[in-house]
Amino acid sequence: MSTQMEWPLWEVFVRSKAGLDHKHCGSLHAPDAKMAVQLARDVYTRRQEGVSIWVVPSSQITASDPSDKGAYFDPMEDKVYRHPTFYELPDSLNHM
Amino acid sequence: MYTQAMSVGPQDAAGAEDSTLQAAFDARIDAGDFIEAKDWMPDHYRKTLVRQISQHAHSEIVGMLPEGNWIGRAPTLKRKAILLAKVQDEAGHGLYLYSAAETLGTSRDQMLDALHKGKAKYSSIFNYPTTTWADVGVIGWLVDGAAIMNQVPLCRCSYAPYARAMIRVCREESFHQRQGYESLLVLMREGTAAQKAMVQDAVNRWWWPSLMMFGPPDDASPNSEQSMRWGIKRITNDQLRQKFVDATVPQAEILGVSLPDPLLKWNAERDAHDFGPIDWEEFWRVVNGEGPLNRERLGARVKAWNDGAWVREAALAHAKKQAMTKDAA
């Protein structure tokens, strides 16, 4: 077995159609970026699921810490005034 | 396509220091939360998942062999293109699943090594031979049909990377079953007497191994309970098997084939079909390496891995060289 010979891991992002965001859809092993794009096409878009592919070395992704999830995201929970539905307006005022 | 319920290992003793984390984890499972790769999880949950997901991945990859056997001999160009697409899907499914298992901290090479050394299992159904063209259709109909029954509940598995992979797999799987059934319909409706007999023969050979795909009966599957508790498994082996039998009987009627079980009959009281006893000795024999083709299947995988070694090494050497040239420029 030769784990040190394993091809690096890449994260794959696919734009499903023009005008939409690229969305993370999975990962794969490839020796370099060019091969990663080619393999991503075969693994993740066999049924025309995409019009564009991004690949990023997995080691280059920086993520928020899942154990901080509460402290990190909860402060936004009580800021309901950031949503349009917080404001009660007369019915006669259409479509604001 | 093909997971088989036989994957839970012995329970580890939980460390006392983990009890707070364990309680938080249990609460999340009870609340129906998804567990992500970086979240704390009990060791035994992690090991169970690595075992199950890697076995599932191995099954996809080994599962390419019986059908690959017919790509060069498909009766028409259309059937050949369909079969190629299906076998390519199986490779894709294996890759989604290996990626999901890797998020748990086990490398791809470690998993492949376990397969190649015979330590990891794969679905025992692939140790049976595909001797006629009808086998390809019957695999699509019955084997993929059984796999779909097994896999749909896994889309709600508590481990999110596995659930996400399964959603992708299930989306692609229905074509597999439909193409198989349709190719059998053509043989049964337009075929000669010999072709119809060929379909019936294939059904006779694949029916019982397909029922075995759901794993041992619930009363002989003591670890299922833990997997149910963790939300890895949602429906028991026997429940899934029953669902499969009930779904398949009318399909067999439309096709015009019989299922090789004299005890198979509708039970109005249970609102389900009764069926005959499964030969579990055969199941365990095949799982433990004594099926018709265990050695050949594993040999083919090991050979493919060894024959491809120079390609993997050359691609990596090329990538390193390109990176160095780029740095120097």
Side-chain angles (χ1 to χ4, degrees), chain B residues 216-278:
Chain B
D218 294 348
D219 55 16
S221 181
N223 296 310
S224 284
E225 201 182 326
Q226 179 67 78
S227 277
M228 299 281 278
R229 169 69 188 84
W230 277 331
I232 294 173
K233 206 174 162 58
R234 299 285 186 189
I235 307 180
T236 73
N237 298 353
D238 285 334
Q239 285 169 337
L240 285 167
R241 190 164 15 244
Q242 182 69 57
K243 225 175 132 186
F244 175 72
V245 171
D246 292 338
T248 307
V249 168
Q251 295 166 357
E253 273 166 31
I254 294 171
L255 202 52
V257 294
S258 64
L259 298 171
D261 179 358
L263 298 175
L264 181 69
K265 65 166 191 296
W266 179 250
N267 180 335
E269 225 168 88
R270 284 204 309 125
D271 203 23
H273 290 87
D274 291 336
F275 53 96
I278 293 169

Side-chain angles (χ1 to χ4, degrees), chain B residues 107-321:
Chain B
S107 77
R108 179 85 54 108
D109 281 3
Q110 281 173 316
M111 289 186 269
L112 291 176
D113 190 57
L115 173 69
H116 296 159
K117 289 201 169 121
K119 290 187 213 152
K121 304 283 188 211
Y122 54 85
S123 193
S124 51
I125 193 108
F126 303 119
N127 293 314
Y128 292 87
T130 42
T131 51
T132 71
W133 168 250
D135 288 23
V136 172
V138 171
I139 286 180
W141 172 37
L142 296 181
V143 178
D144 287 275
I148 291 170
M149 288 278 170
N150 253 333
Q151 292 180 150
V152 167
L154 288 172
C155 296
R156 294 180 291 124
C157 169
S158 62
Y159 187 58
Y162 191 25
R164 287 193 287 267
M166 289 319 301
I167 289 169
R168 195 176 287 278
V169 168
C170 286
R171 204 184 291 146
E172 297 177 350
E173 199 77 59
S174 129
F175 138 64
H176 296 182
Q177 192 184 19
R178 290 174 65 104
Q179 65 80 32
Y181 191 82
E182 191 241 17
S183 84
L184 297 176
L185 264 183
V186 171
L187 289 170
M188 292 304 290
R189 288 185 175 171
E190 299 162 33
T192 61
Q195 286 171 323
K196 290 178 193 176
M198 179 173 77
V199 174
Q200 184 61 58
D201 167 66
V203 171
N204 293 348
R205 283 181 290 109
W206 289 96
W207 173 247
W208 292 105
S210 299
L211 293 190
M212 293 176 197
M213 285 179 71
F214 297 95
D218 294 348
D219 55 16
S221 181
N223 296 310
S224 284
E225 201 182 326
Q226 179 67 78
S227 277
M228 299 281 278
R229 169 69 188 84
W230 277 331
I232 294 173
K233 206 174 162 58
R234 299 285 186 189
I235 307 180
T236 73
N237 298 353
D238 285 334
Q239 285 169 337
L240 285 167
R241 190 164 15 244
Q242 182 69 57
K243 225 175 132 186
F244 175 72
V245 171
D246 292 338
T248 307
V249 168
Q251 295 166 357
E253 273 166 31
I254 294 171
L255 202 52
V257 294
S258 64
L259 298 171
D261 179 358
L263 298 175
L264 181 69
K265 65 166 191 296
W266 179 250
N267 180 335
E269 225 168 88
R270 284 204 309 125
D271 203 23
H273 290 87
D274 291 336
F275 53 96
I278 293 169
D279 182 356
W280 291 111
E281 271 175 40
E282 175 183 331
F283 172 76
W284 288 113
R285 220 165 34 239
V286 180
V287 167
N288 291 320
E290 297 304 319
L293 291 178
N294 294 57
R295 267 167 286 266
E296 186 179 324
R297 296 294 188 233
L298 198 54
R301 285 314 313 156
V302 171
K303 182 176 186 301
W305 177 253
N306 291 339
D307 288 354
W310 72 271
V311 179
R312 296 192 300 276
E313 283 161 28
L316 204 55
H318 176 73
K320 281 185 181 150
K321 196 171 154 191

Side-chain angles (χ1 to χ4, degrees), chain B residues 22-35 42 45 157-159 227-232 234:
Chain B
Q22 176 79 51
F25 175 85
D26 289 343
R28 289 186 64 191
I29 294 284
D30 290 341
D33 271 7
F34 282 111
I35 307 298
Y45 177 84
C157 169
S158 62
Y159 187 58
S227 277
M228 299 281 278
R229 169 69 188 84
W230 277 331
I232 294 173
R234 299 285 186 189

Side-chain angles (χ1 to χ4, degrees), chain A residues 37-46 53, chain B residues 88 92 95-96:
Chain A
V37 171
Q38 206 166 317
L39 295 175
R41 186 200 64 166
D42 293 343
V43 178
Y44 291 107
T45 64
R46 286 193 302 282
I53 293 171
Chain B
Q88 193 190 13
L95 295 175
Y96 307 154

Side-chain angles (χ1 to χ4, degrees), chain A residues 2 6-7 27 29 46-47, chain B residues 89 99 102 109 172 312:
Chain A
S2 50
E6 210 170 70
W7 288 351
S27 52
H29 289 273
R46 286 193 302 282
R47 290 177 177 76
Chain B
D89 272 358
S99 294
E102 282 176 90
D109 281 3
E172 297 177 350
R312 296 192 300 276

